[in-house]
Amino acid sequence: KQWYQRRVRVTNNLSKVMNQPISGDELLNFFKTLDDYSPTLPDSLTAHYLSQAGLHTSDPRIIRLVSLAAQKFITEVASDALTHSQMRGNPAGSSGSAGNKKSKEKKNCLRMEDLQPALADMGIQVKKPAYYM
């Protein structure tokens, strides 16, 4: 439960940082919360892709900040894709038997039909490649 509270605190602080101008003290407090935070994306993975992009840094706070921003982006895209899937009705989940199936939890499947509009909302155009037989 403690890691969840820390994650909520860091996410709320990130929303403040991204949505409005902040003072230097608030930025220092935000960076201090990043020291205790372990993002979902490992630091080594983020550091690798940052170095591939030409940014070589040894400051773990910068690496965690980029990891947190990437995690927020992925979460928003996945949430939008889930919303598109629910609006579409997800016909793959429907079946004829109504016995034990109603008591089970409905599983969602991420599909390109749901991912394309979610990414388009973020300004990324994805086209499904042609399938050749």
Side-chain angles (χ1 to χ4, degrees):
K1 183 157 180 155
Q2 183 182 13
W3 66 268
Y4 178 74
Q5 291 171 345
R6 195 174 333 152
R7 182 167 291 201
V8 168
R9 185 181 60 215
V10 170
T11 306
N12 289 341
N13 288 341
L14 180 64
S15 297
K16 288 179 188 176
V17 170
M18 293 181 74
N19 293 331
Q20 61 185 351
I22 60 169
S23 68
D25 292 335
E26 291 174 335
L27 188 60
L28 286 175
N29 288 337
F30 177 70
F31 275 129
K32 286 179 184 176
T33 59
L34 282 179
D35 290 337
D36 298 333
Y37 178 72
S38 59
T40 304
L41 299 173
D43 289 342
S44 59
L45 178 73
T46 305
H48 170 73
Y49 282 110
L50 284 176
S51 66
Q52 289 237 326
L55 179 67
H56 302 283
T57 182
S58 60
D59 189 359
R61 295 176 302 177
I62 300 297
I63 294 171
R64 287 196 180 136
L65 181 65
V66 173
S67 294
L68 186 62
Q71 178 180 335
K72 184 177 184 328
F73 176 77
I74 292 168
T75 302
E76 287 179 0
V77 169
S79 175
D80 289 349
L82 178 64
T83 303
H84 286 288
S85 173
Q86 290 171 345
M87 287 181 0
R88 185 171 48 85
N90 205 1
S94 61
S95 64
S97 64
N100 287 336
K101 301 259 179 174
K102 281 191 176 185
S103 64
K104 289 186 178 179
E105 190 174 312
K106 182 180 176 185
K107 294 183 180 180
N108 294 311
C109 180
L110 181 64
R111 296 183 181 179
M112 282 300 292
E113 292 86 18
D114 305 322
L115 194 57
Q116 283 175 333
L119 287 170
D121 292 344
M122 300 288 184
I124 299 173
Q125 298 298 321
V126 178
K127 294 185 180 180
K128 189 174 180 180
Y131 178 75
Y132 297 102
M133 292 177 71

